[in-house]
Amino acid sequence: DGVKSEYPAVGPKGEQGEPGKDGVDGKDGVDGKDGVDGASGTNGADGHDVQVSEDGYWMVWDAEAGEYVKTEYIAGGVRVAETTGGYNLTVIDENGEEQTIFIPTSSTMGYIDVLDNPVAGYPVKESVTEMNVLYGINETDVKYGPNKEKTLGKGVYVTLDRDLKIVVNPQGTDASAYEYSLLNSANQNTQLLFKEAVPYKGAVLTRAASENGVWVLPHDFTRYEDITDARTKNYLLFKANDGKKHALSLTATLNNTTIKTPYDLGASLKQIIGLVSVTVEALKNCAVNEVYYPSYSSNAVYDYWLTFDETASNLKYVELYGAQIVEDGHAFTYTRETGVNNHVDLVFHYILANGKTGEWPFTAWMTEEMATEKSITLERLKTPFDATLVTATNPLLPSLVRDENGNDVRNDANDEKVFVMNTKKYSLADLFSQMSKVDKLVWESALSKNSIVAELIGGDGENNVQNDNNANLRNIGYIYSAADSTIIFQFAVSRGYKYINAEGIVESANFYLNKAYQVTLTALDEDTHTPVASIVLPFELTQPTLNITRTKGKWTVWSADQKTLTSYGAYGPSTTDPGSAVRMYLPLYEAFNAWTTNYTKYNDEACYYTLSNSDADIWLLDEINHVHGALALDDNLTYNSDWIGWRTSAIDASVTIKNNAEVEKTVEKVGAEFYHYGVYDAKVADFKLVFASLLNHSTLKMAAGKETLVVNTGKHDVFISNDDLDLTTPMGGKFFLFDGLDKSENVVLRKTLNETSFNEEQRGFMTVDEIFNAANFEAKAKNGSTPYDIDVIDPVKNPVSGYDWAYDLVTGKRTYTLPAPHPNHIRIYRVLAESKRNATSADKTNAKVVSGHTGGMVIQLPTSVADQEEVEITMTVEDGLGFTNDLKFTVKKIK
């Protein structure tokens, strides 16, 4: 403390003694012996170093007492005493008073929580909780054990019906140093006892430090000797009133440190009545000289002891295998190699907290000590999930999961398509290097007969709870090749894979993308059912590169910024109800390119789309909303198939003329969702969808160089056919107004000419008959606004005197003659396409075509039109939706 004390740290050395004197010589006479030299003086005693007493104080040597004495000074200013979980450090404060500080040996707990908590959000009704406080009433002392050497005393025994799994922070905290209790919301200790916390690693409890901050708090029993008092006391500890439980908090205490969970736990009292049946799992894969404890089903068990089944054959095997009951009857071991791949039968005897006793027989299976260590972890697979359609030439590999009869139980696809991805070949050379020749033979036999155990872990956090992984395990196949010691895995998906989860809800039994999984394949010895070896494949399936692009189709066009899709659908009434309203059916499948990957070919994928309107005006869409249709169709798709097959339609109100203005219906915020293999979806950005008229958006004009037509010299008329027109759709396809001729001069109807680029069957407009109506034509002087009256003449319907077509023997062409022009009216004559056949042929049907002319129209100007005067004529064509388009041309009269 910086103050000089009166005690030196080291004692002084003693003074040197004086030398002894020489002896006196003997007198003469008989010779006397020489005197002996005097002895030297003894040295002074050495000084003594200071020491520290057991309780941490300085000690100095007391020469008079011949021993060390304790001073009032603490050595180093601090006295240290080891205690549970750390050390108590005692110091003297400025007032000379002792103060004690606790220092833990590990990190001090700062946080605690209970995992897998079945009860949360208190207060709740009693029926909500799954956690119970078990109590057994034992009216008298009960002797138990192999020799009745133990006693279960009279009283009430209380315990929690489960071990608590807890997580603590910091991670390095030694949770075993703390004492635990459950406090109720009245701040009363429920008196429930727990054993020392044990680190938790997966499903294995070890004595090593917890590497993940997770511990298990094993339950213990609290005994109340006074039965009557205990009943009332526990009722009040766990219930505030009938139907209402106290909320509970788990509390951890170490010296002066206390950590509590929120009051989010709860428990109901449940009496152990009569003999509770307790099941025990068989011990599997027991190795020589290892100790194994049974796993039993009920926390109502107060204590247990093991014995061997006392049949003669079993006791013989016990001796042969060196089997022993150890750990005061609580565990089993075997000590001889003769037990490998054999078993012995044991009996689990138990006594409940209410004094009732029972037993359960079980078996301990023995195996080679290293059998379960023969395993290989393959290179982690992380790949886009690019799959192909299962066909006759692309079969499913054998399933990992089979029923007890060996039948394949892969998920039922419910008549939906199935798509699979095969992995590369994985070499098992490293695994086989661990095996003997016999082991390898057993391995190959097990795989060939599907004698395996498969396990799938990973995916989303709730998978194991909801049994997703159990269902998905059926989607995995494999094939082993003994020829080159390789294995291939196969992953399958389908829209039809379904299962019912733990909550009774139908789920899709397919893998999640971008989630880590691990499949373990363990081959079993067919005779002993013991593990031979395991293959572990960690894998993660990622989103495939979809490469969905917007493309121009025959009937669909995207705007330059790709934000507007104009669709020229087929229209008409329903094929099943001809009297129904006109609908437009949209070929939306051709507006998007399907994707191609390294593993797939176009049309081999389950490419589906759902088109939905994200706006509120769903009525505008009718069947377009949430309708599925195939996106990837045959490249040779014919466009005159049934309209209903296109699946997506809009009512006729979406495409109408309003106020004589061409107004087409635009549906805002349409989105397409694509389902890869019918399982994984990708959202395409929203776009505007325009229900449009093909005719309205087409270009109608005269062919180049024929914008102004000159009437026949010396006459008043000019003939216009398809050759004089340039009509193109928005996609660049040509279409026609009149019937025509083929190269052999046979007549070809307009409908046939337009089949590819316009398809009148599905996108019809005015027929040739309908075109020749005076209401469809207007004419005026080009240099003025004066309109002309127009007469439309259809000699097919009303024969006209003076109208004829003749065959010119000199030119080989057909020419026409017309009646004299009208003084003031423009006349428009309909011209039919015709073929002239050889009249001498006996077979008129097969007569040779000698000449022909296309269909069209003749424009005859009136005599009142002056020389060099230009007349502008507008022909209006209308489609079945009410949209129109105009063809304008100029006719010029030259004498």
Side-chain angles (χ1 to χ4, degrees):
D1 59 3
V3 179
K4 183 177 179 180
S5 70
E6 58 186 288
Y7 300 105
V10 180
K13 289 185 178 180
E15 297 179 357
Q16 183 68 40
E18 295 181 357
K21 298 180 179 178
D22 292 338
V24 179
D25 291 339
K27 299 181 178 178
D28 291 341
V30 182
D31 292 335
K33 296 181 179 178
D34 291 339
V36 180
D37 292 340
S40 298
T42 58
N43 293 332
D46 291 338
H48 292 75
D49 292 341
V50 294
Q51 295 183 358
V52 179
S53 67
E54 292 182 357
D55 55 357
Y57 285 83
W58 287 117
M59 297 181 69
V60 296
W61 183 256
D62 185 330
E64 294 182 3
E67 61 182 12
Y68 280 97
V69 295
K70 186 171 70 173
T71 74
E72 71 272 24
Y73 294 98
I74 297 176
V78 180
R79 184 175 77 250
V80 180
E82 186 174 3
T83 186
T84 303
Y87 296 90
N88 282 327
L89 278 61
T90 302
V91 299
I92 303 298
D93 63 19
E94 61 184 359
N95 299 320
E97 300 293 334
E98 289 187 353
Q99 299 290 344
T100 300
I101 302 171
F102 172 73
I103 301 296
T105 52
S106 63
S107 300
T108 301
M109 187 186 299
Y111 169 85
I112 182 174
D113 197 9
V114 178
L115 299 179
D116 300 331
N117 179 7
V119 197
Y122 270 77
V124 297
K125 294 183 179 179
E126 182 175 358
S127 59
V128 175
T129 177
E130 297 176 3
M131 199 159 67
N132 293 304
V133 172
L134 304 177
Y135 69 95
I137 300 174
N138 187 27
E139 300 286 356
T140 60
D141 292 350
V142 177
K143 294 290 185 181
Y144 70 95
N147 302 306
K148 304 294 184 181
E149 72 279 9
K150 296 183 180 180
T151 302
L152 179 67
K154 172 186 174 183
V156 176
Y157 292 82
V158 184
T159 189
L160 197 61
D161 72 341
R162 67 198 62 204
D163 298 338
L164 294 181
K165 189 193 304 181
I166 62 173
V167 61
V168 300
N169 244 332
Q171 189 166 304
T173 301
D174 180 7
S176 66
Y178 288 74
E179 293 182 356
Y180 297 88
S181 58
L182 278 170
L183 300 183
N184 65 21
S185 49
N187 204 33
Q188 298 168 317
N189 191 328
T190 61
Q191 305 299 317
L192 290 178
L193 297 181
F194 297 95
K195 298 176 184 177
E196 181 179 298
V198 183
Y200 177 83
K201 293 185 177 180
V204 180
L205 301 180
T206 74
R207 286 285 175 180
S210 174
E211 297 177 356
N212 53 14
V214 179
W215 297 71
V216 170
L217 201 56
H219 75 106
D220 204 350
F221 285 86
T222 304
R223 179 194 176 206
Y224 297 92
E225 191 169 354
D226 188 328
I227 295 176
T228 303
D229 180 67
R231 287 175 170 175
T232 304
K233 180 176 182 179
N234 280 283
Y235 183 88
L236 295 175
L237 284 174
F238 293 99
K239 282 195 175 183
N241 204 338
D242 285 335
K244 296 182 180 179
K245 292 178 293 295
H246 276 304
L248 304 179
S249 168
L250 181 64
T251 303
T253 304
L254 180 60
N255 293 308
N256 296 324
T257 301
T258 299
I259 303 295
K260 299 174 66 174
T261 67
Y263 283 91
D264 57 1
L265 299 170
S268 300
L269 286 170
K270 183 177 181 181
Q271 184 177 358
I272 305 167
I273 300 176
L275 179 61
V276 177
S277 177
V278 177
T279 59
V280 181
E281 295 181 5
L283 293 173
K284 298 178 181 179
N285 306 325
C286 300
V288 65
N289 292 324
E290 293 289 335
V291 176
Y292 295 93
Y293 293 84
S295 176
Y296 51 93
S297 61
S298 176
N299 277 15
V301 174
Y302 178 79
D303 200 358
Y304 71 89
W305 67 98
L306 305 180
T307 63
F308 292 113
D309 182 87
E310 295 186 351
T311 61
S313 59
N314 189 65
L315 293 178
K316 179 184 70 173
Y317 295 140
V318 168
E319 183 175 353
L320 181 62
Y321 308 148
Q324 299 176 7
I325 305 296
V326 295
E327 300 290 337
D328 195 23
H330 289 108
F332 156 83
T333 187
Y334 78 99
T335 61
R336 296 177 185 167
E337 296 289 346
T338 49
V340 172
N341 293 334
N342 291 300
H343 71 275
V344 294
D345 296 323
L346 298 98
V347 179
F348 178 87
H349 305 268
Y350 60 92
I351 182 169
L352 303 177
N354 62 1
K356 303 297 182 180
T357 58
E359 61 183 39
W360 184 274
F362 70 100
T363 300
W365 296 87
M366 281 86 84
T367 186
E368 294 181 72
E369 187 172 359
M370 298 301 292
T372 57
E373 295 185 11
K374 293 174 183 174
S375 65
I376 183 173
T377 300
L378 303 176
E379 177 187 358
R380 182 171 182 265
L381 173 69
K382 183 176 182 179
T383 184
F385 194 24
D386 291 311
T388 55
L389 177 66
V390 174
T391 63
T393 57
N394 178 23
L396 288 166
L397 296 178
S399 175
L400 284 182
V401 181
R402 292 177 181 268
D403 63 17
E404 62 273 12
N405 298 317
N407 298 317
D408 190 346
V409 290
R410 186 185 292 272
N411 274 316
D412 185 358
N414 296 303
D415 297 325
E416 291 277 3
K417 294 178 181 179
V418 176
F419 300 83
V420 297
M421 182 189 75
N422 291 346
T423 68
K424 67 178 183 179
K425 288 185 176 181
Y426 288 96
S427 172
L428 302 179
D430 289 345
L431 176 64
F432 294 150
S433 67
Q434 306 175 41
M435 294 184 181
S436 65
K437 184 176 181 179
V438 174
D439 284 339
K440 188 174 179 182
L441 289 174
V442 174
W443 156 270
E444 292 180 345
S445 176
L447 258 68
S448 66
K449 297 180 180 179
N450 218 55
S451 178
I452 58 172
V453 173
E455 180 185 36
L456 179 67
I457 62 172
D460 273 0
E462 295 300 318
N463 282 25
N464 292 318
V465 176
Q466 303 297 343
N467 294 321
D468 290 14
N469 286 338
N470 289 339
N472 288 344
L473 188 59
R474 299 180 181 179
N475 300 9
I476 304 176
Y478 73 94
I479 186 168
Y480 167 70
S481 171
D484 56 1
S485 299
T486 59
I487 191 169
I488 293 173
F489 287 86
Q490 182 182 78
F491 301 98
V493 292
S494 174
R495 291 184 67 186
Y497 284 170
K498 304 291 183 183
Y499 76 101
I500 300 176
N501 67 18
E503 297 177 351
I505 299 172
V506 177
E507 296 279 2
S508 176
N510 289 290
F511 304 104
Y512 291 99
L513 294 183
N514 306 311
K515 302 290 184 182
Y517 288 91
Q518 179 173 290
V519 60
T520 301
L521 177 63
T522 302
L524 304 178
D525 185 297
E526 298 165 60
D527 298 321
T528 64
H529 300 284
T530 55
V532 178
S534 296
I535 300 172
V536 180
L537 176 65
F539 67 93
E540 180 177 350
L541 304 173
T542 61
Q543 176 70 55
T545 303
L546 301 181
N547 294 327
I548 300 174
T549 57
R550 296 175 176 181
T551 184
K552 179 181 178 181
K554 283 191 174 183
W555 315 111
T556 52
V557 178
W558 287 99
S559 61
D561 61 7
Q562 299 280 288
K563 292 182 178 180
T564 301
L565 174 63
T566 302
S567 182
Y568 304 102
Y571 47 81
S574 168
T575 55
T576 59
D577 182 10
S580 63
V582 174
R583 296 179 183 273
M584 177 177 279
Y585 296 85
L586 308 179
L588 296 176
Y589 52 78
E590 66 171 28
F592 305 93
N593 270 344
W595 45 88
T596 301
T597 71
N598 293 333
Y599 300 91
T600 60
K601 295 180 180 179
Y602 188 75
N603 297 333
D604 278 351
E605 296 191 66
C607 309
Y608 295 88
Y609 71 88
T610 296
L611 188 69
S612 59
N613 178 19
S614 55
D615 206 344
D617 297 328
I618 300 299
W619 65 272
L620 293 175
L621 299 175
D622 197 3
E623 295 178 9
I624 199 173
N625 187 42
H626 299 298
V627 176
H628 294 76
L631 175 63
L633 297 180
D634 186 358
D635 288 333
N636 298 320
L637 175 71
T638 58
Y639 290 90
N640 57 359
S641 59
D642 187 356
W643 303 349
I644 300 298
W646 289 354
R647 299 298 304 278
T648 312
S649 65
I651 59 177
D652 56 354
S654 297
V655 278
T656 58
I657 295 178
K658 296 181 179 180
N659 301 324
N660 296 324
E662 296 170 352
V663 179
E664 289 166 323
K665 178 59 64 177
T666 299
V667 180
E668 303 284 350
K669 298 180 181 179
V670 174
E673 294 180 354
F674 295 85
Y675 291 84
H676 198 46
Y677 322 125
V679 178
Y680 306 120
D681 61 287
K683 184 75 166 61
V684 177
D686 292 342
F687 58 91
K688 294 180 180 180
L689 176 61
V690 178
F691 301 92
S693 160
L694 184 64
L695 177 68
N696 183 36
H697 287 205
S698 294
T699 300
L700 278 64
K701 63 181 180 178
M702 302 300 291
K706 296 188 176 184
E707 294 84 357
T708 300
L709 298 173
V710 179
V711 300
N712 290 331
T713 303
K715 297 183 179 181
H716 299 266
D717 52 82
V718 61
F719 175 56
I720 300 176
S721 69
N722 290 330
D723 294 335
D724 301 304
L725 307 178
D726 183 8
L727 314 181
T728 57
T729 68
M731 286 68 68
K734 291 188 67 65
F735 69 100
F736 308 95
L737 288 181
F738 310 111
D739 299 337
L741 299 176
D742 61 16
K743 291 181 179 180
S744 300
E745 296 197 336
N746 290 309
V747 173
V748 181
L749 297 178
R750 186 189 80 176
K751 177 180 177 180
T752 302
L753 293 175
N754 287 338
E755 187 173 273
T756 300
S757 59
F758 210 100
N759 197 330
E760 293 185 46
E761 183 68 26
Q762 298 184 1
R763 299 168 180 80
F765 60 95
M766 283 180 169
T767 65
V768 178
D769 285 346
E770 293 170 337
I771 286 176
F772 288 96
N773 185 311
N776 297 328
F777 293 89
E778 292 182 355
K780 65 181 181 67
K782 191 172 183 179
N783 58 356
S785 59
T786 303
Y788 286 95
D789 291 330
I790 297 177
D791 300 326
V792 175
I793 301 170
D794 184 350
V796 176
K797 299 177 181 178
N798 300 298
V800 177
S801 176
Y803 172 87
D804 193 17
W805 288 80
Y807 179 63
D808 190 327
L809 296 176
V810 177
T811 63
K813 298 294 183 181
R814 292 181 66 82
T815 61
Y816 60 84
T817 58
L818 301 174
H822 192 280
N824 301 311
H825 293 189
I826 294 176
R827 286 177 173 172
I828 299 178
Y829 290 87
R830 176 185 178 184
V831 178
L832 291 178
E834 291 183 337
S835 294
K836 179 68 176 179
R837 297 180 181 273
N838 189 338
T840 62
S841 172
D843 185 353
K844 298 297 182 181
T845 303
N846 295 318
K848 180 181 178 181
V849 176
V850 295
S851 68
H853 67 87
T854 67
M857 58 184 177
V858 173
I859 307 298
Q860 186 182 51
L861 298 179
T863 55
S864 60
V865 174
D867 186 31
Q868 301 295 329
E869 183 180 346
E870 295 182 338
V871 177
E872 183 180 78
I873 299 175
T874 299
M875 183 176 71
T876 300
V877 182
E878 182 177 353
D879 66 10
L881 298 173
F883 286 92
T884 61
N885 206 336
D886 292 337
L887 172 67
K888 293 182 182 292
F889 54 91
T890 300
V891 179
K892 185 176 181 181
K893 185 176 180 181
I894 300 178
K895 287 184 180 179

